[in-house]
Amino acid sequence: MSKRDCPDADVLVLGAGIIGVSVALHLQRRGKSVVLVDRRAPGEETSYGNAGLIERASVIPYGFPREISTLLKYATNRSADVRFRWSFLPRIFPWITRFWLQSSGRRLRRAALDMLPLIERSVAEHTDLMAEAGILHRARRTGWMEAYRSEKTFAAAKRAAGALDEFGLRYDFLGPKELQLREPHLTGTFIGAIHWLDPATVADPGKLVKDYAGHFVRKGGEVLQADATTLSQREGGWSLRTASSVLRAHEAVVALGPWSDVVYRRLGYRIPLAVKRGYHVHIEPAGDAVLHHPIVDVERGYLLAPMAKGIRLTTGIEFADRDDAPCPAQVNQTEPHARAIFPLGRRVEPAPWMGSRPCLPDMRPVIGPAPRHKGLWFAFGHNHHGLTLGPATGRLLAEMMTGETPFADPAPYTMSRFG
């Protein structure tokens, strides 16, 4: 092979969010030379805007509700949990129908069992990467809370938590006094809470991804800016154009989250990827108020999380086109409720941040080879759990790519399930 034909790397990883960075690190561990490419710096898209949860307790995927009362609230945009852009509804309705069908009791349990090996390894795999990168102090092992305003809703939540005992999760039921002891500055009318103890949290998920990427670079990896749409198959591998050159590699990984379709559609693949948009805004705590745990106000549909930039108020789901202009309705709807339960001062940012979560209707990601293109691999569609499952996904895909025995059965994540 001439020097001109020699590849620049073994693998090109497209996407520098938590999934792509984790894949790059795990391939690097296994002796592969890797170039990580994105249009922006690591951790500045979807991975930046989340609640900072490494969600070991989410053993049941986020399915579509079946209760008529809940569906009516969603359909009329009366709930902060879910909001529709009416002009987008005809386009998303077929996907929602598939999602609803996959959310039946039997199918939801099957999805839970399929996802369990990744969920079970979520905290451990993050801990492993953090320790290697010298940032283990970033993990907070304090869990998170769901807070309830009504006895009826709290009782139902207790029953649902008890149904998860087969998965070995640890949790505490808190009455008003116990909740006040753990969160002294809460001022709302909560009658109780569930404190999930197994998850870990981080105070700046975007910075965590940057730290992982920095570790990747220190170990000899390369991070470049490039346009993923220029990916093309070439003899012996794959190539990608940058502003000044053409990168070449034997293999390529598409880990572009909600933008993965810009690559796979051009290559002829039909994958039912949709996005659920979400928003957050940072607000300064008032006075000396301290929030010790992320806390969900279940009946009002928002989450407050202590972050490096203040208290992060995150919203539920917005069904809209990925590239539509932002709409702050959910933030504006929930912020007064948040201010009623916790002392909050001024907003840190002038406008809420918006991001898109890549989701598939059967609540499983695509992790594995592209069947019609040698050397092309996919890793996207993690359905709200990208931060949680990044390192576990990275390990699983790297094991598949290097011929190791995978720590989990990859069959549930193959793209062939979509035909």
Side-chain angles (χ1 to χ4, degrees), residues 244-268:
S244 58
S245 64
V246 176
L247 295 173
R248 293 164 295 178
H250 295 298
E251 298 179 284
V253 177
V254 178
L256 292 163
W259 293 276
S260 296
D261 62 335
V262 303
V263 174
Y264 71 69
R265 287 183 186 277
R266 292 176 56 252
L267 296 172

Side-chain angles (χ1 to χ4, degrees), residues 235-305:
E235 186 177 355
W238 295 85
S239 66
L240 186 76
R241 292 198 304 272
T242 71
S244 58
S245 64
V246 176
L247 295 173
R248 293 164 295 178
H250 295 298
E251 298 179 284
V253 177
V254 178
L256 292 163
W259 293 276
S260 296
D261 62 335
V262 303
V263 174
Y264 71 69
R265 287 183 186 277
R266 292 176 56 252
L267 296 172
Y269 293 100
R270 296 175 60 85
I271 302 170
L273 184 70
V275 301
K276 299 177 187 176
R277 304 204 315 181
Y279 298 81
H280 80 234
V281 65
H282 292 102
I283 307 173
E284 292 180 346
D288 61 354
V290 176
L291 187 66
H292 297 284
H293 311 81
I295 186 163
V296 177
D297 186 345
V298 173
E299 283 114 324
R300 296 295 184 266
Y302 66 91
L303 179 147
L304 293 179

